[in-house]
Amino acid sequence: MSDETKSVFIDTNSFLHLRDLRDLPWGSMFPGEDAIDPMVASAVIKELDKHKVGSNRRRRDRSRAALKMIDAASEEAGFALILREAPVLIRLVIVDAERIEWSQFPKLDPSQPDDSLVAEAATHGSDAVIFSHDNGPRISARRLGLTAEAPPDDWLLPAEQTDDQRQMRALERELEMARA
């Protein structure tokens, strides 16, 4: 085991589309690490803030739960909330980065949240890892020489039903009740 902590910059989709961060087998993705810090960049907090009032119930609820967890981390020393202590220490950490010097990243667009995430990770150091279900930030990270990982399929939540599917299911239940 190493004495190092792996800094994993998680994309917004980690909160929206993955099982609970504390339940994920992080050690299998990053074997040999004593501690893994899922890092929350300011761009992720801003995106979650937008989703918390959206019309999609699942995204709205998961955004609110994520923001509550991030708020709890902001009250802890080092802005780090322990999610799990064993078998690998998992701490949710709010990134405390300096202002991004965008001239160092001419291929990134500061108006794009994914590019802001990648820039914050690159500013953190070359050992930072981008963790996203989306291709865009992973590709941008690799262009900057960072490691980028996608979550395994079994870390994802089941597919979300569309509003039409939910409405159809409700109507089918009503029809069954009327027939009975």
Side-chain angles (χ1 to χ4, degrees), residues 163-175:
D163 289 339
D164 289 342
Q165 288 170 327
R166 278 191 287 278
Q167 185 177 17
M168 180 66 81
R169 188 169 175 199
L171 290 171
E172 288 170 350
R173 282 193 304 261
E174 288 178 23
L175 180 59

Side-chain angles (χ1 to χ4, degrees), residues 85-161:
E85 293 191 39
V88 176
L89 176 64
I90 307 297
R91 298 179 324 146
L92 184 73
V93 178
I94 301 171
V95 177
D96 185 23
E98 298 295 320
R99 186 174 185 89
I100 297 170
E101 183 56 52
W102 286 101
S103 61
Q104 295 177 3
F105 308 107
K107 293 182 179 180
L108 299 179
D109 181 351
S111 69
Q112 297 300 314
D114 286 345
D115 286 355
S116 293
L117 172 68
V118 172
E120 283 193 54
T123 301
H124 184 75
S126 62
D127 61 336
V129 175
I130 290 290
F131 184 78
S132 178
H133 187 56
D134 295 335
N135 296 331
R138 293 195 316 262
I139 294 168
S140 294
R142 291 179 187 129
R143 283 186 178 142
L144 295 178
L146 297 175
T147 301
E149 299 288 346
D153 288 341
D154 63 339
W155 289 23
L156 296 170
L157 292 170
E160 184 176 8
Q161 286 187 333

Side-chain angles (χ1 to χ4, degrees), residues 1-13:
M1 297 287 257
S2 73
D3 290 330
E4 296 295 316
T5 297
K6 181 61 79 178
S7 297
V8 181
F9 283 72
I10 56 176
D11 197 354
T12 306
N13 56 51

